[in-house]
Every structure is written in structure tokens, then in C-alpha cells.
Amino acid sequence: MYATVSDMIARFGLTQIIRLSRPEDRTAETVDDDKVLTAIADATSLINGYVRGRYLVPIATAPDEVVRATCILARYDLAQGEHTGPSEEMSKGRKDVVTWLENIAKELINLDVPAAAPAGPAVGSGPRMSDRGRVMSYDSLKGF
């Protein structure tokens, strides 16, 4: 995963992460780590889907912009609940991150991480040779 619960708290504040992870309990004083980690895992999977064609995934040491994108996507997911929805700010942040990921996939933006190995030649492609002799030749067709 490209972010931690601590990254989420550092970026958005303890109170917001508590409220997003436990929306049904307004008196909660602790973060529901499992819920936050699930949202982070989902965000990581989404990011991997966009960058997999260009970079080795999972990214061993995620750069700051990937951690930031993971946190924004995870916060948006946490805000979607039975009785709540993401704010306009959260929706705009998610939209901006998805556009950024699309630009990475289109090779308009580069990350400072190891690139994926180029795909090797497809099996069965390229020229082929046969060592059998000809069945039909000028001499065998003589007289037809």
C-alpha cells in the first residue's frame, strides 16, 4: 500500500479521519484502522491499474505525489456511506487525481520510479523456416 493511517491523519487531521472511519459513532475518539486500511488498499489498486503499463507495481518506494493521490482517493472512498456522501472538495480532489493518473498512463506525466520491462516478442511471431523439400517443382509439374 502506498499510504498509511498516519499519512491520512497527517494530511487530513485526526478528527476528520475518525469521523470518516466511524460515521455512525459521533462520540468516537479513535480511528477504525481496518476501515481506513481497506480504503487505502482500494486506492492503491486503482493507482496500480493506471500505472501498471509503465512502471513496476507495486511501487517499492512510493514518491510523495503517489502517497498524496492514495490519501485523496481513500478519503473519497471513506466518505461514501449509507447516510453520507463526499463533499465537493473531495469529489474534485478525486477527479483531479484520476485525471493525473490518466495522464501518467498516456505518458504525459512521468514518475521517478523504475519503469516496467518492455514486453518481449510474442510467442510464435516473426519469420518461420521449414526444412522440408518442395512437393511441387518445375520437373514434377512437367506435362500438366
Side-chain angles (χ1 to χ4, degrees):
M1 290 190 281
Y2 300 138
T4 63
V5 175
S6 297
D7 291 329
M8 295 284 292
I9 292 169
R11 189 164 301 280
F12 304 116
L14 178 61
T15 303
Q16 186 175 64
I17 301 305
I18 291 172
R19 297 292 173 253
L20 289 172
S21 68
R22 298 182 187 268
E24 67 285 345
D25 185 1
R26 286 308 204 187
T27 60
E29 295 181 9
T30 59
V31 173
D32 182 347
D33 288 345
D34 291 338
K35 193 169 183 179
V36 175
L37 289 173
T38 299
I40 291 171
D42 292 345
T44 298
S45 294
L46 180 67
I47 290 170
N48 284 344
Y50 279 99
V51 303
R52 150 172 304 122
R54 295 192 56 207
Y55 302 104
L56 295 173
V57 293
I59 298 170
T61 304
D64 291 339
E65 61 261 31
V66 173
V67 174
R68 177 184 169 276
T70 304
C71 290
I72 290 170
L73 293 171
R75 179 174 74 151
Y76 179 87
D77 286 349
L78 285 170
Q80 292 185 354
E82 223 175 281
H83 305 290
T84 61
S87 68
E88 284 185 43
E89 174 193 355
M90 292 176 193
S91 296
K92 183 183 179 323
R94 183 184 190 284
K95 182 181 177 212
D96 291 346
V97 167
V98 169
T99 300
W100 178 72
L101 290 168
E102 288 171 348
N103 286 335
I104 290 172
K106 293 176 187 173
E107 299 184 16
L108 299 174
I109 296 175
N110 295 310
L111 296 175
D112 189 21
V113 297
V123 175
S125 66
R128 297 178 185 210
M129 296 179 60
S130 175
D131 61 346
R132 291 187 292 165
R134 291 185 184 174
V135 175
M136 294 184 192
S137 67
Y138 179 75
D139 292 330
S140 67
L141 293 175
K142 208 179 232 182
F144 284 104

